[in-house]
Amino acid sequence: MTDAADLTARLIRCPSVTPEEGGALVLLGDMLAAAGFELHRVDRNGTPNLFARWGAKGARSFGFNGHTDVVPPGDLGSWTHPPFSGHVEGGLIWGRGATDMKSGVAAFAAAAIDFVTETPPDGAVILAITGDEEGLGRDGTLALLDWMEAEGERMDVCIVGEPSNPELMGEMMKIGRRGSITFRIVAKGVQGHAAYPHRAKNPLHALTRYLAALIAAPLDEGTAHFDPSGLQITSIDCGNPASNVIPERATAVVNIRFNDLHDGDSLTRDLTARAEAVSAETGVGITLTPELSGDAFLTQPGPFVDLVRDVVAAETGIVPVLSTSGGTSDARFVKNHCPVVEFGLVGHFMHQVDERVPVEQVHQLKRIYRRILERYFA
Ligand SMILES: [Zn+2]
């Protein structure tokens, strides 16, 4: 039996703040290799990634995806136990990554090792583990998927083991995510004296008119599996110290979390057209630079989603809600490879000081992953 809680504590002791490997992937690789997994380090541009497969290449396969990197601990003095101590006390494992998500990686690695050792399946189990999810992520799971594509490696389905439950184990699994896009907006007018506005073009008036129109009406009413899209103005800046000067330039930032009625291109077209209309009315040029984090996606409910939901319900006594809420995750990349769902621990302490996880929850998550594997290959 592989002890997922002990493995969690040992992984926490690897100081793998993005993009440092910190020994985490080496530790996992050694355990997986000992259990008969074939390993490939898929490092790209200095980002460490680990691909591990038990079973034959090309066989029917079940995949897990997760990350061993963690966000920085912040002020060390604020922690009850040092963030990389992996301190275990009172039924809790303490440290950075305890919930997000060394415990999730430990749970699926332990479940996979025990499963292939005790009940070898007719198929393959694949672990695609990255050392960069918390950073830009360009050379993390994306690099693994690019490498798999080039090598002819395939997962038929995949679970991303990110924390998915808000408060209670079993209450939520994610079958998709909203998309996210940020627009950096620049309004450029003509500087002038506040007493002689006819000789100036005030970019703040044009910008606020534009922004007010953006928030005046909702983008949509939501769809079958998604909440309504949300638009937030996250910054308005002009940096003008003088009260009697109309500034030349003003900027704003808008972030949109959007459902499956939109994509990055459609939102860019819409917001650009509206900017051009305000520019035409005011003579102030309004330009947008879009930064797309990811489009919305949905894994359609079906046999795979049912299997995960049924096992979670059997193990926790709670039927999980099929959700698309929350921020982005690497599922946004995996969805281009195969059907993907996210199920993991309770995310309550993610990125917080004194991040910690109940030992029993880690064992429970391992039992869930093990049962999912058994059902999938039954
Ligand atoms: Zn995470």
Side-chain angles (χ1 to χ4, degrees):
M1 283 267 288
T2 310
D3 186 332
D6 177 63
L7 180 54
T8 300
R10 287 161 65 198
L11 286 171
I12 289 171
R13 290 176 199 131
C14 302
S16 51
V17 174
T18 319
E20 294 300 323
E21 189 271 338
L25 293 179
V26 171
L27 170 61
L28 286 165
D30 288 348
M31 291 183 66
L32 291 163
F37 281 78
E38 183 181 322
L39 303 184
H40 295 275
R41 276 291 290 264
V42 188
D43 297 10
R44 188 161 87 181
N45 293 328
T47 297
N49 302 296
L50 179 67
F51 173 90
R53 170 174 36 76
W54 185 95
K57 182 173 171 177
R60 180 166 180 257
S61 65
F62 193 101
F64 288 99
N65 169 253
H67 64 91
T68 52
D69 63 316
V70 294
V71 295
D75 182 6
L76 298 180
S78 302
W79 287 73
T80 305
H81 303 287
F84 300 108
S85 65
H87 183 82
V88 184
E89 188 181 313
L92 297 168
I93 310 168
W94 296 72
R96 177 59 82 221
T99 58
D100 185 13
M101 60 167 284
K102 286 177 168 173
S103 47
V105 171
F108 69 59
I113 288 170
D114 287 2
F115 176 64
V116 301
T117 307
E118 295 167 9
T119 54
D122 178 16
V125 178
I126 287 172
L127 310 187
I129 305 171
T130 178
D132 180 12
E133 193 274 341
E134 301 288 6
L136 293 173
R138 286 184 195 132
D139 297 307
T141 293
L142 261 184
L144 282 161
L145 294 168
D146 288 347
W147 179 87
M148 289 169 69
E149 178 79 32
E151 295 289 321
E153 299 277 2
R154 267 211 77 74
M155 302 182 285
D156 288 314
V157 293
C158 181
I159 288 185
V160 175
E162 288 276 3
S164 61
N165 299 289
E167 299 293 337
L168 288 175
M169 273 299 277
E171 64 183 338
M172 186 178 286
M173 56 186 274
K174 308 239 168 133
I175 59 167
R177 287 290 180 123
R178 293 188 297 177
S180 175
I181 190 168
T182 294
F183 290 96
R184 298 192 180 277
I185 302 163
V186 177
K188 191 165 179 300
V190 176
Q191 193 187 46
H193 196 300
Y196 305 95
H198 55 283
R199 290 183 197 148
K201 286 197 170 69
N202 192 329
L204 285 166
H205 289 196
L207 184 61
T208 52
R209 185 195 295 198
Y210 176 61
L211 295 173
L214 292 185
I215 57 172
L219 288 166
D220 56 64
E221 303 297 328
T223 64
H225 289 283
F226 285 90
D227 290 334
S229 302
L231 180 153
Q232 291 295 317
I233 300 166
T234 54
S235 186
I236 300 175
D237 303 282
C238 132
N240 178 14
S243 62
N244 58 351
V245 175
I246 294 168
E248 183 190 31
R249 191 171 178 277
T251 63
V253 179
V254 165
N255 179 258
I256 301 176
R257 301 296 166 122
F258 56 94
N259 59 34
D260 51 348
L261 291 172
H262 312 272
D263 60 31
D265 288 341
S266 71
L267 289 167
T268 301
R269 278 197 303 276
D270 178 39
L271 266 68
T272 301
R274 294 164 75 167
E276 285 168 357
V278 175
S279 293
E281 288 164 21
T282 61
V284 171
I286 300 180
T287 54
L288 282 69
T289 306
E291 293 167 8
L292 179 68
S293 300
D295 277 320
F297 72 95
L298 180 72
T299 296
Q300 290 294 340
F304 176 48
V305 170
D306 290 351
L307 187 160
V308 176
R309 189 191 54 202
D310 292 352
V311 169
V312 171
E315 193 62 51
T316 65
I318 302 173
V319 178
V321 169
L322 306 181
S323 171
T324 56
S325 64
T328 61
S329 80
D330 278 356
R332 74 187 191 275
F333 303 131
V334 179
K335 67 105 165 48
N336 295 325
H337 180 91
C338 68
V340 58
V341 305
E342 288 174 68
F343 184 79
L345 288 166
V346 174
H348 195 86
F349 292 110
M350 291 167 80
H351 297 197
Q352 291 186 10
V353 163
D354 277 350
E355 186 175 344
R356 57 196 184 270
V357 66
V359 169
E360 181 44 41
Q361 259 180 30
V362 182
H363 292 314
Q364 187 179 34
L365 183 61
K366 181 197 166 188
R367 289 197 298 273
I368 290 169
Y369 289 152
R370 173 80 189 258
R371 274 171 89 155
I372 289 171
L373 285 169
E374 285 166 358
R375 283 271 303 268
Y376 183 76
F377 288 104

